[in-house]
Amino acid sequence: MPAIACKFGGTSVATKEKMEQIVNILKLNPQRKAVVLSAPGKAEGIETKVTDYLVAITQKSLAGQDIEKDIAAVKRRFYDIFEPLNISRQTIDGVLARLDERIAAEKSNSEKYRDAIVASGEDLNAELFAIYANTVGIKAKFISPVEIELIVTADFGDARVKNEGSANLIHLRDHINDGYVVIFPGFFGVSADGDIVTFSRGGSDLTGALIAAAIDAYEYENWTDVNGILSANPKTISDPDQVSALTYREMRELSYMGFSVFHEEAVKPVMKKKIPIRLRNTNNLQNEGTLIVSERLPQERDIVGIAAASGFCSFNLQKFLMNREKGFGRKLLEIFEDLGYSYEQCPSGVDNISVVLNQKQLSSESVNNIMRRIERELKPDDLKTEYNLSLIAVVGEGLKNKIGVLAEAASALSKSGVNIKLVNQGSSEISIVFGVSTIDEKYAVKALYDAFFCNQIKKDSE
C-alpha cells in the first residue's frame, strides 16, 4: 500500500488536544505511515515555544546563569500535554532524563552543546507521542535520527544532509512494511562523529521531505495552522484567495519573496521524485489545503500569487556603449563577490545595469568601499544608490504564455500612484519582479492583487 509521509508543525503539537487530533488524522487514513513531529509551539495562553526555552537554557548555561526555571518550564509543557493522555509521570520523566543528560554535558564546544539541547524538543516530543499512539491503538515505533544514522555535515545550526544520510533513511521502509507507523523527530541529524547537529530553523519540513523521498511516498502532507498557501499576505490583503495548486517552481519563487509557510530547502528532495506536497490545516480537516506538484493543469490560474519583501537597496550604473564592453557584468558582480556580498537581482538595459542587495548586509563604510571599487575599475558615466526598496513579485507559470502581463501590472501600479524603480523578469518566465519604495509596498501589492485576482473573478462571473 502506498505510504503518506506527514509532518506536524509546532502549533499542531502544542497541546494535549492537538495530539489527540493527530491520532484522529492518522486513523482517518491508514496510508499515513511516517510521521515527523516538531517541538511543541505556541497555543492559546502559551506564548513561548519549547525550542525558545531550550535556546534560553543553552545561553544561560554557557554564561553560568541559573536555568532551573527554564528547565522546569520545558518539563511542565510535556507534563501538561502527555499526563492528561494517561502517560504516567514516571514514563515522562524517563524520557525527559535525556534532556538533563544533555544539559549536564561538556561545554567546551558551545555550538555542539547548543545543538544537542535545542534538538531535544523534537526528540522528546516524538518519543512521547509514539508511546501515546500505542496506547490508543496505533502500532507506532519511535525512530531517532541517531539510531538510523541520518548523517549530516558538522555545520552546527545549519546542517546539510549527506548522501549516506539520505540512503540510510530507506531502512524506514522495513519498519513500515512490518506494519508500524514510524514516528521521527524533525530538525536534526547526526554528524559522522556522532554529534547531534540541527538544520536551520524550520528544518522539520526538510526532515519530512527527506523521509517522503526515502520511502517513495505517495504524498507528503505538511500540517500546520493555516489552510494552505494564500495568494497574498493577509496582513496586506483582506481575505486573499487560497491557492489550490501550484508548482514547485512557483513555490520556490514565492518562498524567495517571503512566503514562509514551507521551508524552501524542503522542496528539493521531493521535487526530484515528483512527490506532491500538500499543505494542510490541523484544525480544519474539511479543507484540502494547497497541493504543490511538478505540473498543474493549464486551465488553472495563470498567476498564483503576489509576494513582497522589503529591506533592499540598489547600485545603479550607467555607461554609454556598456553592451560592447566585454565582461562588464562579470566584473561588476566580481566586485560584490570579492567584498563578500550576495546579490538578489540584476536587471539591465543596453547602457545601464542595477545590482540589488539585501540592505542588512551593508554599512556606510561598506557602501563607500563598493562605490570606490566600481568607480575605479569600471569607470561608469553615472553611479547612484537607492535605499529602502521593496521587491514585489507577480508569480505564475502562466506568465510564459500570457500576453500583456507587464503592461497590465505597470498600468495598475501607475493608477495607484506607485513609481516603479526597477523591473526584472528571469529566464524562467514565471515571475516578474518590481522594485518600489518601501513606503509604497502595500499600495503596490493591493494594486497588483486587484488587477490579477479581483479582475479575474469578475471575468469568471461574466
Side-chain angles (χ1 to χ4, degrees):
M1 180 172 63
I4 295 175
C6 309
K7 177 262 175 179
F8 292 90
T11 57
S12 297
V13 297
T15 64
K16 164 247 186 190
E17 290 77 18
K18 299 293 186 182
M19 294 300 187
E20 291 175 323
Q21 179 73 320
I22 294 174
V23 164
N24 180 41
I25 289 169
L26 296 180
K27 288 183 174 180
L28 284 173
N29 190 341
Q31 288 180 295
R32 293 175 174 130
K33 288 293 187 180
V35 178
V36 173
L37 297 184
S38 294
K42 294 182 180 181
E44 187 175 351
I46 302 173
E47 294 300 320
T48 305
K49 303 175 183 179
V50 164
T51 299
D52 291 337
Y53 278 123
L54 294 170
V55 170
I57 288 170
T58 304
Q59 293 172 340
K60 291 178 180 179
S61 178
L62 289 169
Q65 300 173 0
D66 181 61
I67 57 175
E68 292 307 314
K69 288 184 179 179
D70 296 294
I71 294 174
V74 171
K75 292 185 176 182
R76 172 54 54 194
R77 286 295 303 276
F78 287 112
Y79 293 144
D80 289 347
I81 293 170
F82 290 102
E83 277 194 303
L85 298 175
N86 297 318
I87 308 301
S88 71
R89 175 69 69 99
Q90 182 179 8
T91 299
I92 298 171
D93 282 339
V95 174
L96 295 182
R98 201 152 63 248
L99 173 60
D100 295 325
E101 292 171 2
R102 293 177 184 180
I103 293 172
E106 203 266 331
K107 305 176 185 177
S108 60
N109 185 330
S110 60
E111 292 183 327
K112 172 182 171 180
Y113 181 74
R114 172 198 173 277
D115 275 19
I117 293 175
V118 172
S120 299
E122 282 77 4
D123 197 19
L124 305 176
N125 199 39
E127 183 169 0
L128 288 168
F129 177 79
I131 293 170
Y132 163 58
N134 277 289
T135 68
V136 291
I138 294 176
K139 186 181 177 182
K141 177 177 281 191
F142 168 71
I143 305 291
S144 166
V146 177
E147 175 187 347
I148 206 164
E149 296 185 330
L150 174 55
I151 304 298
V152 299
T153 61
D155 300 309
F156 294 102
D158 192 23
R160 295 290 184 274
V161 180
K162 291 192 172 183
N163 291 335
E164 60 266 37
S166 297
N168 289 340
L169 288 175
I170 293 174
H171 297 301
L172 293 175
R173 296 180 189 174
D174 299 333
H175 301 289
I176 292 172
N177 292 337
D178 288 340
Y180 287 101
V181 175
V182 170
I183 312 298
F184 201 91
F187 186 46
F188 73 94
V190 59
S191 72
D193 293 331
D195 298 322
I196 288 174
V197 190
T198 64
F199 302 127
S200 58
R201 201 74 183 257
S204 292
D205 288 344
L206 176 56
T207 305
L210 291 167
I211 289 176
I215 67 173
D216 201 18
Y218 168 74
E219 190 170 276
Y220 171 30
E221 294 179 337
N222 194 283
W223 294 84
T224 180
D225 58 355
V226 296
N227 288 333
I229 295 175
L230 302 177
S231 53
N233 189 334
K235 294 179 180 179
T236 303
I237 302 297
S238 177
D239 194 25
D241 290 355
Q242 179 181 327
V243 180
S244 60
L246 72 164
T247 66
Y248 300 123
R249 294 179 294 274
E250 289 169 330
M251 181 65 205
R252 179 71 182 95
E253 294 285 341
L254 291 171
S255 295
Y256 163 68
M257 292 299 295
F259 274 48
S260 58
V261 176
F262 193 71
H263 195 287
E264 59 183 33
E265 291 181 29
V267 174
K268 186 176 180 180
V270 291
M271 181 172 65
K272 188 175 181 180
K273 288 195 170 184
K274 292 184 169 58
I275 296 172
I277 305 169
R278 189 179 295 275
L279 304 180
R280 297 196 63 180
N281 190 342
T282 314
N283 307 312
N284 186 3
L285 303 188
Q286 285 70 43
N287 191 301
E288 291 297 319
T290 295
L291 189 66
I292 306 172
V293 290
S294 57
E295 299 289 339
R296 59 184 178 88
L297 296 175
Q299 66 264 34
E300 293 173 337
R301 273 215 175 105
D302 295 321
I303 295 168
V304 295
I306 311 294
S310 59
F312 299 97
C313 67
S314 66
F315 291 80
N316 309 310
L317 290 76
Q318 287 194 3
K319 188 171 186 180
F320 185 60
L321 298 179
M322 182 188 76
N323 62 312
R324 296 188 183 180
E325 190 171 329
K326 294 179 180 179
F328 189 91
R330 174 183 56 78
K331 293 173 185 176
L332 173 61
L333 294 180
E334 278 184 349
I335 291 173
F336 291 96
E337 181 183 1
D338 289 346
L339 294 172
Y341 304 115
S342 59
Y343 75 97
E344 305 291 334
Q345 303 279 330
C346 190
S348 64
V350 176
D351 294 326
N352 60 78
I353 186 169
S354 297
V355 181
V356 180
L357 282 75
N358 188 316
Q359 199 167 305
K360 292 179 181 179
Q361 300 179 84
L362 303 176
S363 65
S364 296
E365 182 181 2
S366 60
V367 170
N368 188 71
N369 290 338
I370 291 169
M371 296 186 74
R372 285 183 66 188
R373 287 275 307 264
I374 293 173
E375 293 276 12
R376 184 173 67 246
E377 298 176 27
L378 298 178
K379 297 178 175 55
D381 297 329
D382 188 37
L383 173 60
K384 293 180 180 179
T385 56
E386 189 150 16
Y387 301 98
N388 299 318
L389 295 175
S390 289
L391 300 181
I392 318 292
V394 178
V395 177
E397 295 279 357
L399 291 177
K400 291 180 286 189
N401 303 310
K402 188 176 178 65
I403 298 173
V405 174
L406 184 56
E408 189 175 353
S411 175
L413 293 172
S414 176
K415 289 177 182 178
S416 294
V418 175
N419 182 33
I420 301 172
K421 303 287 186 177
L422 62 89
V423 181
N424 194 26
Q425 182 168 17
S427 59
S428 67
E429 297 184 19
I430 66 169
S431 71
I432 301 175
V433 176
F434 297 92
V436 303
S437 294
T438 297
I439 58 173
D440 290 331
E441 179 183 318
K442 290 185 177 180
Y443 302 109
V445 172
K446 289 178 180 177
L448 293 171
Y449 187 86
D450 287 345
F452 293 113
F453 286 87
C454 295
N455 287 347
Q456 182 64 48
I457 293 171
K458 292 176 183 177
K459 291 177 183 177
D460 291 343
S461 64
E462 291 176 354

